[in-house]
Amino acid sequence: MRGAFPLRYAHGNILFGQGQERCALYRVEMDPYAFLPAREKVGRLGALARFAFSIGADFSLWRVSRSFPVEDYVEDVAGLLDVEHGERINWVRHLEGHERHLRGAIPHVPELYLAVSLGAPSGGGPLAELLAHTDRVRRRVEALFGVGAREPIGARELERLVAEEERLLRRVSGLLPCERASTRELQWLMRRAACRGVCEPALDD
């Protein structure tokens, strides 16, 4: 089905694509890499390499940029004033100068998301693998000619994927500092495609 939307359904951070495509989405903690000493830079690279070699699944890394909330800058930073050695009014004026500069610079905050494929059930031997492969080929041919029906997502499959994602989270978080992506972050990732570089997307609470 050429042109079909790639995301069919989402359950928490588990994404369902066309056919049998399934993945789990995580937000990876970012580091100020450019300011790290060389030894720590090598350590970050080593951690990513260990993840790539040991995860045992297809994965994608999405580095995206979110507009910095300049309108919140003064309020968020004003509380850092040391009242014993400074005056609030002067501090706020200083921060307002920062805000004017930031508005002209159009700043962004980088974010990193990791999508890891969730595999089909294992086991069953060569015959089961052959039947599964034949079924995948059939679905691809049906999709190519537009005659394939979307299969419903069963409760048993959902339970299996939830359990598999639990195990995957323990593996991934042991290699990279990350947490499950929220449905709001998923919504932002999808809606930003139409307005990135122009403005932040409007999100549905």
Side-chain angles (χ1 to χ4, degrees):
M1 293 181 292
R2 180 172 294 180
F5 193 70
L7 181 63
R8 176 180 167 200
Y9 178 70
H11 179 81
N13 69 320
I14 301 175
L15 311 184
F16 294 77
Q18 300 297 327
Q20 295 300 303
E21 295 176 352
R22 311 285 188 263
C23 75
L25 185 63
Y26 303 96
R27 181 166 54 83
V28 182
E29 181 180 324
M30 297 287 282
D31 289 313
Y33 187 81
F35 303 101
L36 293 176
R39 178 176 296 180
E40 292 193 29
K41 288 182 179 180
V42 172
R44 298 296 191 275
L45 178 60
L48 187 58
R50 286 191 297 274
F51 164 79
F53 278 103
S54 62
I55 193 61
D58 292 337
F59 67 91
S60 297
L61 288 169
W62 304 334
R63 186 187 185 280
V64 295
S65 294
R66 188 189 296 267
S67 296
F68 181 79
V70 178
E71 63 277 4
D72 299 330
Y73 175 77
V74 173
E75 181 179 352
D76 290 345
V77 182
L80 299 178
L81 173 68
D82 182 354
V83 294
E84 295 183 359
H85 300 90
E87 296 182 1
R88 181 173 177 81
I89 186 170
N90 292 331
W91 175 239
V92 170
R93 286 174 181 170
H94 179 67
L95 296 179
E96 289 173 346
H98 289 181
E99 181 182 352
R100 288 191 295 272
H101 176 75
L102 288 171
R103 289 187 183 279
I106 314 178
H108 292 80
V109 179
E111 295 184 1
L112 183 64
Y113 291 87
L114 168 68
V116 183
S117 292
L118 295 172
S122 59
L127 179 58
E129 292 181 8
L130 176 60
L131 292 174
H133 175 71
T134 304
D135 190 50
R136 287 194 296 270
V137 172
R138 175 187 59 80
R139 285 194 299 269
R140 289 175 182 171
V141 173
E142 289 177 345
L144 180 64
F145 289 98
V147 297
R150 290 186 175 181
E151 297 181 1
I153 301 169
R156 182 173 299 178
E157 179 189 8
L158 194 57
E159 291 174 359
R160 176 183 65 80
L161 289 172
V162 167
E164 184 177 348
E165 190 279 330
E166 287 277 359
R167 294 190 295 270
L168 179 62
L169 175 62
R170 290 194 291 270
R171 292 175 59 198
V172 173
S173 60
L175 297 165
L176 296 174
C178 69
E179 59 184 27
R180 292 185 176 103
S182 67
T183 51
R184 187 172 180 83
E185 288 169 330
L186 174 60
Q187 181 188 176
W188 177 80
L189 284 169
M190 295 172 60
R191 292 195 172 188
R192 69 181 288 274
C195 59
R196 60 183 179 184
V198 178
C199 63
E200 283 293 292
L203 301 182
D204 185 351
D205 289 335

